[in-house]
Amino acid sequence: MFVELAEKARIALCDKYSLTELTVEWRRPQDKSHGDAATAIALQLAKNLKKKPQEVAQVLCDVLKQCATVEKAEVAGAGYVNVWLTPEALIAELRNTEAACVARPQKNGPVIIDYSQPNIAKPLGVHHILSTVIGQCLCNIHRHLGYSVVGWNYIGDWGTQFGKLAVAWKKWSKGKPVQEHSLDELLELYVRFHAEAEKTASLEDEARAAFLKLEQGDKELRSFWEGVVRVTKSSLASIYERLHVRFDTDIGESFYEDKMQPILEEGRKKKVFVPGKEGSLIVEFNEAQKLPPFLVQKGDSASLYATRDLAQIRYRIDTYHPQAILYVVDVAQQLYFQQLFKTVERLQWKLPLLEHVVFGRMRFADQSMSTRKGTVLKLEHVLDEAVARAAEVIAEHRDSIQTDDEKALAEMMGTGALVYGILSQNRRMDLVFDWKKVLALEGNSAPYLQYTHARAHSVLRKAGVTDPAAPEKVPALTVHERSLVGTLLRFAEVLEDARAQRMPHTLANYLCELCQEFNSFYNTEPILKAEGATKALRLSLTALSVRVLKTGAELLTLRVPERM
Ligand code: ARG
């Protein structure tokens, strides 16, 4: 932000204090009474220069006052410099915000983002939405900012549960082909297996034997397994589509079955994997690392989740040469990922950045939504409930909400409310999900964002313009205009912060703030009834607000209506 200003300040300070290298960072002050831009450079320099910060700040201030783009500059607090720009300069800066609404060409990366990761043969539970939407949002933001991304749904399509399912299917499906089962029926078979295994212990042995046969490539079991994977994937597809979630690959755990042996050998040779109890292989960490031993092979030689992840890192490096791999997985696996990352360091692989993008647990404020005894709450049901509740909100506000397609709006609002309710909270904390809050037309919610977008859009529609330009001669700015401009100017910075910290809520909260700024502008300044340059300016600010809201919302996987 404020490139020209930064350059002027740099030259001035370098001249005055004979410096050769300097970067002057300007930020938008939180407090609006501190101007349009502020820098702490004087505070940073003063110590080395053996000067008082205020003195250095004053030097900078005096130079800036001479600039044509600066309306006012002052020293504040311990040595900050606050600057007010001329209206022309501020409006010209909005170019950067326009540019930030366009996806950049993909020159960085690739970044692999591992997210959603459901287990096959089970419907998505409500908790799956966290990884799914946080991961998709991070994919979207990275792509938008010029990274090539491999969005990876690492499905849990391997493990002893397939042995159980195969036994249950054989015994109780009366010859019905596996492909003709619904996901719920597969789940029922699985549940029944556990119930019956309590009475008949030998079932567990049968299941183990079936899985072993599957691992050895038994034709019939293999085609059963493929059927189960197909049924699950096609049932997931419709939910992913409703959520605007799209993956580049869904290579799952089964893929690594034949890729683990070389790694186990490598680890043994490098003495990173050492014998543990009963013929197992483990990794031991030193005192300082404070990690418990990591099991990479069980005593019965069966492979593990961990071993598959090791093979997967190797495969991802060799196939994609990624710059980073982000694992969007809940806090329960924190220790696991620490052990996994330390293990690959010990193997001395040349590694990309490996990062566990952790998130907390989700809890419903409404008790009736908490998990019903023993069964998981299905994501599809929660989505349907969100849409039904959104339809109620629309019905209650028939006089103020306008739409030609109530059903489509309810879907957009309901799914949006659910997703935004998650993405607007700091992912590191446990999440409290409150239907009332997420569906409110006012406040930090998807409906508020959607409503504001529609409202701004309708101004443009009534004015009969789509892409109005700012006037050549910019009039003096009112308080609300200045404040809206200031918020619009932060967009690029917010996107980069959200990406660098992998924090979708930074973007969500910014969009909410922009809505508030737009609404106070809209409520105080006449737009359609204004004239000349003032009208042109207000229309251009409205159009840019529309663009930023739409761009930002879509990065969060939301959709916004043109009418509402
Ligand atoms: N499917 C796994 C689970 O439910 C999560 C997978 C996370 N990704 C990974 N590469 N380990 O626990």
Side-chain angles (χ1 to χ4, degrees), residues 55 95 135 139 256 300 307 323 326 418 434 443 446 490 525:
E55 192 187 320
R95 266 186 320 236
C139 286
Y256 300 98
D300 61 4
T307 330
Q323 171 184 329
L326 310 184
L418 179 60
D434 182 346
R490 275 177 35 222
E525 318 285 2

Side-chain angles (χ1 to χ4, degrees), residues 114-119 127-128 131 154-157 253 305 309 312 316 327-330 333 336-337 340:
D114 182 318
Y115 65 112
S116 198
Q117 315 122 334
N119 294 325
H127 61 280
H128 279 111
S131 173
Y154 181 53
I155 56 177
D157 61 356
E253 296 189 34
Y305 181 60
D309 254 331
Q312 192 204 43
R316 285 173 172 175
Y327 296 83
V328 188
V329 182
D330 79 64
Q333 293 190 34
Y336 167 78
F337 279 108
L340 179 71

Side-chain angles (χ1 to χ4, degrees), residues 73-235:
E74 66 185 28
V75 177
Y80 292 93
V81 176
N82 294 341
V83 170
W84 284 254
L85 294 176
T86 63
E88 287 79 20
L90 275 178
I91 299 301
E93 279 288 326
L94 288 175
R95 266 186 320 236
N96 296 332
T97 304
E98 301 255 357
C101 292
V102 182
R104 282 192 217 148
Q106 288 172 9
K107 292 194 180 138
N108 289 312
V111 172
I112 295 178
I113 304 185
D114 182 318
Y115 65 112
S116 198
Q117 315 122 334
N119 294 325
I120 291 297
K122 286 185 193 156
L124 287 182
V126 67
H127 61 280
H128 279 111
I129 196 170
L130 295 167
S131 173
T132 305
V133 299
I134 295 170
Q136 186 62 49
C137 175
L138 294 177
C139 286
N140 295 350
I141 294 180
H142 273 86
R143 282 203 186 99
H144 189 82
L145 294 179
Y147 291 76
S148 70
V149 171
V150 184
W152 198 310
N153 191 6
Y154 181 53
I155 56 177
D157 61 356
W158 205 242
T160 46
Q161 72 268 30
F162 287 97
K164 298 178 185 172
L165 200 56
V167 169
W169 171 66
K170 268 245 164 85
K171 287 201 184 327
W172 306 307
S173 270
K174 304 188 187 94
K176 182 166 154 181
V178 63
Q179 294 89 312
E180 285 168 25
H181 286 66
S182 69
L183 199 48
D184 285 328
E185 287 167 341
L186 291 180
L187 184 66
E188 263 166 43
L189 284 176
Y190 192 66
V191 171
R192 178 157 178 198
F193 176 90
H194 283 279
E196 307 253 352
E198 300 234 321
K199 293 174 267 166
T200 323
S202 62
L203 278 178
E204 293 282 359
D205 294 331
E206 275 184 61
R208 248 189 303 275
F211 182 62
L212 191 69
K213 266 172 88 183
L214 173 62
E215 278 189 305
Q216 288 160 349
D218 178 90
K219 270 227 174 74
E220 197 195 343
L221 279 161
R222 185 91 201 164
S223 97
F224 164 79
W225 171 79
E226 278 164 6
V228 174
V229 173
R230 217 168 310 130
V231 168
T232 313
K233 280 193 189 173
S234 74
S235 136

Side-chain angles (χ1 to χ4, degrees), residues 23 34 38 40 57 59 63 72 152 227 235 237 242 250 261 303 325 383 392 434 476 493 495 545 561:
T23 327
H34 293 170
V59 168
V63 175
K72 185 170 118 185
W152 198 310
S235 136
R242 282 176 84 177
D250 59 4
Q261 214 44 49
S303 71
I325 308 178
L383 266 174
E392 275 170 34
D434 182 346
E493 208 171 276
L495 284 184
S545 301

